[in-house]
Amino acid sequence: MYQPTATSAAPEMAGIITTSHERSLAYGLCPESRQDFGTIARNDLALLIEKNKMLHTHALPAMETLYQQIINTHNMVLLTDADGVILHSLGDADFLEKANRVALQPGAAWSEECRGTNAIGTAIAEKSAALVHADQHYMHANHFLTCSAAPITDHHGNVVGVLDVSGDQRSYHKHTMALVRMSALMIENQLFSAAFEDAITLHFHTRPEFIGTLMEGIASFTPGGRFLSANRNGLFQLGLSYAALQTHTFNSLFGLPVSALFDHYRTAAPSLLDLCMHNGVRVSGRAQLRLASSRFQHVLAAPQDGEPAPRPAAPASPMHAANAARKLSGLRYLRTGDPQLELVIDKVTRVLGKDIPIMIMGETGTGKELLAQAIHNDSPRAQGPFIPVNCASIPETLIESELFGYEDGAFTGARKKGAVGRILQANGGTLFLDEIGDMPYSLQARLLRVLQERMVTPLGSSKSIPVNVEVICATNHNLRERIANGLFREDLYYRLNGLVVKLPPLRERTDLETVVKKIIAIESGSTRYTLAPEMLELFRCHKWPGNFRQLTNLLRTAIVMAGDEYEISQRHMPDDFLDDIAAAGPCGESLQGAGEHGGLLPAGGARLEDVEHSLIQKTLATHGGNVSATARALGVSRNTIYRKMPHLK
């Protein structure tokens, strides 16, 4: 079997290329063949374009923008259907002539079955982006090409087409694949928006300034709140498969009843939504209520097509953010009496300002970013910016532009005047790379080069920019195991592996009472709230799988539930927490028994019902009888409140 030569252009594709060559051989193709496959008739091509009208319509603007980035570089941009038949092309005249010799033109089929290994056909076969360079092509006639292709999927995840940049193999550029993938993602977003006319569509992101850009997540729901679909970034941020999401609603995913969403958009100038996702991550959101049903027409206060969207609040300047963070986070602030944490703080204090990289190990939710922020705030770089990047929360298609930035018009949906990457934003300060173990392998080499050369090259640019940053990393992975499994570069590991410290999980810490008091004070903005003594004992029994993130969310909810009672007790706790405690052996037994003596749990269903009714009644009184406000405060629907009202005293 013919073996392609490994090239520096796409070494990470070697496994995919080998598998594709095996498929090509199985199709009975001959690498030396010069057979002319030709193209379909003009009328048939017109019918094919009509069949793929939505794809063709939404792809053309993206193709135009992409072509402007590669013009006069001996390249062309191509769009194909799901079978690899080229629908449209744009390119330099001198290269189009060479491309026509191998039928790289509208009407020609470029599936693997027809052409063997090539970027278009291999992207369809693998359902992922493919870079095929020079002699990695199966057919010898195509060895003069270098091709970068990305599949375009619909809202069900099915491949409906491919976007490709093909050119002379001598014109290969390392940024081309990133531009193709981001342009394909923009086309997908356009197709997604066009697919749901009678729906609630939420645009969301952890950073409000990214709402309305290529980086946003998009999810659509029925008028009643049932999940319909999400775009690629939306699925990534939600962290659930398409199949798993079919059982969810807007409320279960974002912690807000649809009725409360409608109430929000009845206001004259609705602000961005502040939402807490099912996984505890807080996001900002903007909803479009494009509801055709007449019974929902009265709630259409959200921006419609053609109307300006409300602008997100301007992000605080780096200096303002740094000053605000210093008030809340320093190494002294983190000292709460736990001996394991004291040892960690002593170690990092010794290396402050010594240009030694710090790697923070620990389970999810143990406060790795808080420690990194404290290290920065106590370092000589405290007056500079602190820029956190969660390598696990950014889709692989976007992390390159997120880290390195991009030039003006580098891809469809890019901001005018380009964008400064996170590495350059951290210039003069600290770059915190959280979940570094999840960084795509293909980008690890670029990061290593930046750290060694202290130079950054934005996407779409040929200029390198000097950068001076201190790097702090964090991970919950065993990086040595990931190195052994080929998932993490050993050279990058040793570049980052200066001082390694490990944060203990919450269940192993001895300072729980102090930590709880600090969290309550921060979340309530008051010193009046306290935790009932018996609740602290229950907290000590809990294993806290989500660590501080779980504890913080629990106390935040409890403060809202407590209202003006100021002592947080069992009846302010969510049911799932009480279920966990009840199943926790001796703690659960003491919890269940406490109710018989007027303690934590009421004895029997009737008293539980009384507590529920009392809580609803007090919340209604607090909100002046406003059912919608009461439902929002309790996290339930208005129908639930109406159903309970006849039973209130």
Side-chain angles (χ1 to χ4, degrees):
M1 187 183 75
Y2 171 76
Q3 293 292 334
T5 304
T7 72
S8 60
E12 69 276 8
M13 292 288 298
I16 291 175
I17 297 297
T18 299
T19 303
S20 176
H21 273 255
E22 291 172 353
R23 286 195 298 264
S24 303
L25 183 64
Y27 293 140
L29 299 174
C30 175
E32 293 84 7
S33 172
R34 291 186 176 274
Q35 181 180 355
D36 182 10
F37 292 97
T39 61
I40 63 176
R42 181 177 299 180
N43 289 343
D44 291 335
L45 177 59
L47 290 173
L48 193 61
I49 291 175
E50 182 62 27
K51 178 182 176 182
N52 293 274
K53 185 176 181 179
M54 289 292 290
L55 171 66
H56 189 258
T57 300
H58 290 291
L60 291 188
M63 294 179 69
E64 291 281 357
T65 303
L66 182 56
Y67 176 57
Q68 291 303 314
Q69 303 308 308
I70 62 171
I71 195 169
N72 297 326
T73 60
H74 305 289
N75 280 282
M76 64 188 301
V77 183
L78 301 122
L79 174 71
T80 82
D81 69 358
D83 297 319
V85 178
I86 299 174
L87 302 175
H88 188 68
S89 67
L90 295 168
D92 299 339
D94 57 345
F95 181 73
L96 287 177
E97 183 179 349
K98 296 174 66 175
N100 289 342
R101 297 173 189 171
V102 291
L104 196 61
Q105 60 191 20
W110 277 77
S111 64
E112 281 190 342
E113 292 91 333
C114 295
R115 307 291 176 133
T117 303
N118 71 90
I120 292 171
T122 303
I124 294 172
E126 296 287 341
K127 295 185 178 180
S128 65
L131 168 58
V132 181
H133 181 73
D135 61 355
Q136 291 180 332
H137 288 87
Y138 187 78
M139 309 295 286
H140 289 184
N142 298 329
H143 283 189
F144 74 97
L145 294 169
T146 183
C147 306
S148 302
I152 301 167
T153 59
D154 65 11
H155 60 278
H156 293 301
N158 301 316
V159 175
V160 295
V162 173
L163 185 68
D164 170 84
V165 168
S166 292
D168 189 303
Q169 58 102 348
R170 293 169 295 182
S171 68
Y172 168 77
H173 196 285
K174 61 184 179 181
H175 290 164
T176 303
M177 175 56 85
L179 297 178
V180 171
R181 294 173 74 167
M182 288 185 285
S183 297
L185 189 58
M186 173 56 71
I187 298 170
E188 288 183 6
N189 286 355
Q190 295 291 332
L191 290 173
F192 185 93
S193 296
F196 298 101
E197 294 298 329
D198 185 15
I200 299 169
T201 299
L202 179 73
H203 302 254
F204 63 98
H205 198 281
T206 54
R207 294 168 61 188
E209 65 267 29
F210 280 156
I211 296 175
T213 73
L214 182 62
M215 286 76 167
E216 69 180 355
I218 309 175
S220 286
F221 302 81
T222 66
R226 180 173 57 82
F227 175 83
L228 288 172
S229 190
N231 72 341
R232 193 188 298 257
N233 290 348
L235 291 173
F236 188 90
Q237 292 189 54
L238 289 167
L240 295 172
S241 67
Y242 179 81
L245 286 167
Q246 294 303 306
T247 63
H248 279 275
T249 64
F250 188 93
N251 192 10
S252 66
L253 289 173
F254 293 100
L256 186 72
V258 169
S259 58
L261 178 69
F262 291 160
D263 288 344
H264 177 80
Y265 281 107
R266 283 196 183 98
T267 60
S271 60
L272 283 180
L273 294 159
D274 180 19
L275 303 169
C276 184
M277 294 199 297
H278 66 98
N279 53 13
V281 176
R282 300 198 76 81
V283 295
S284 296
R286 173 173 59 81
Q288 288 180 303
L289 312 181
R290 296 187 291 183
L291 310 179
S293 304
S294 59
R295 66 194 182 95
F296 291 106
Q297 287 296 322
H298 66 285
V299 301
L300 300 184
Q304 302 299 298
D305 291 337
E307 295 182 14
R311 292 186 178 182
S317 66
M319 188 61 68
H320 177 81
N323 291 336
R326 269 192 289 279
K327 295 177 182 178
L328 296 175
S329 180
L331 292 171
R332 176 187 295 182
Y333 172 84
L334 297 182
R335 293 184 184 274
T336 50
D338 180 77
Q340 296 181 80
L341 186 60
E342 290 289 333
L343 183 60
V344 168
I345 293 174
D346 288 342
K347 287 181 178 180
V348 299
T349 301
R350 293 174 183 270
V351 301
L352 288 178
K354 302 293 176 57
D355 197 26
I356 294 177
I358 298 174
M359 184 174 292
I360 306 171
M361 312 290 287
E363 296 178 8
T364 298
T366 50
K368 297 188 287 291
E369 182 172 347
L370 188 63
L371 175 60
Q373 176 77 71
I375 293 171
H376 168 77
N377 292 344
D378 285 356
S379 76
R381 293 174 176 265
Q383 296 302 317
F386 174 81
I387 303 297
V389 179
N390 190 318
C391 300
S393 68
I394 306 172
E396 186 175 349
T397 51
L398 299 177
I399 192 170
E400 191 168 8
S401 63
E402 176 85 356
L403 282 175
F404 303 107
Y406 53 83
E407 289 288 282
D408 180 11
F411 53 89
T412 306
R415 294 177 180 176
K416 291 183 178 179
K417 300 183 180 180
V420 178
R422 305 293 271 170
I423 295 176
L424 283 175
Q425 287 179 21
N427 192 25
T430 302
L431 178 69
F432 174 52
L433 296 174
D434 198 7
E435 307 298 353
I436 184 68
D438 292 297
M439 174 174 281
Y441 192 88
S442 59
L443 288 187
Q444 293 175 23
R446 280 200 71 187
L447 175 62
L448 177 63
R449 193 176 306 117
V450 169
L451 297 179
Q452 290 177 337
E453 300 174 1
R454 302 289 175 165
M455 302 287 285
V456 175
T457 306
L459 292 179
S461 173
S462 58
K463 297 180 181 179
S464 295
I465 305 170
V467 63
N468 175 20
V469 296
E470 191 75 46
V471 177
I472 301 176
C473 295
T475 182
N476 59 356
H477 289 296
N478 183 323
L479 292 185
R480 290 185 182 275
E481 288 183 2
R482 292 184 75 78
I483 291 171
N485 294 328
L487 299 174
F488 201 82
R489 295 180 64 100
E490 189 171 19
D491 48 4
L492 179 59
Y493 173 76
Y494 287 114
R495 177 63 181 79
L496 298 173
N497 188 37
L499 173 67
V500 179
V501 294
K502 184 175 182 180
L503 286 176
L506 182 56
R507 61 184 175 274
E508 295 178 5
R509 290 183 52 157
T510 60
D511 56 350
L512 181 61
E513 183 174 3
T514 304
V515 167
V516 167
K517 288 180 179 178
K518 284 197 171 189
I519 293 175
I520 290 176
I522 291 172
E523 293 299 325
S524 67
S526 167
T527 58
R528 300 179 67 180
Y529 286 91
T530 60
L531 188 70
E534 57 268 24
M535 284 306 303
L536 184 61
E537 293 306 312
L538 293 183
F539 277 18
R540 295 187 195 281
C541 295
H542 195 48
K543 294 184 178 180
W544 300 108
N547 290 296
F548 291 95
R549 185 175 294 117
Q550 180 186 6
L551 176 62
T552 300
N553 285 337
L554 182 76
L555 290 173
R556 181 186 297 127
T557 303
I559 290 167
V560 173
M561 299 295 284
D564 58 0
E565 295 181 32
Y566 298 117
E567 183 177 74
I568 299 171
S569 61
Q570 175 269 328
R571 63 197 184 95
H572 304 130
M573 295 293 116
D575 291 343
D576 58 345
F577 174 78
L578 297 178
D579 291 342
D580 290 343
I581 291 295
C587 281
E589 293 172 8
S590 62
L591 176 69
Q592 296 293 343
E596 300 175 6
H597 307 288
L600 296 179
L601 275 180
R607 290 188 60 195
L608 278 172
E609 189 174 346
D610 290 344
V611 170
E612 180 185 69
H613 290 166
S614 175
L615 180 59
I616 293 173
Q617 196 163 10
K618 287 183 178 180
T619 309
L620 275 168
T622 300
H623 293 89
N626 187 313
V627 173
S628 295
T630 300
R632 282 197 299 272
L634 297 177
V636 299
S637 69
R638 289 182 299 173
N639 288 339
T640 299
I641 304 298
Y642 284 127
R643 191 170 61 250
K644 301 286 186 181
M645 286 179 71
H647 305 287
L648 304 180
K649 296 178 180 179

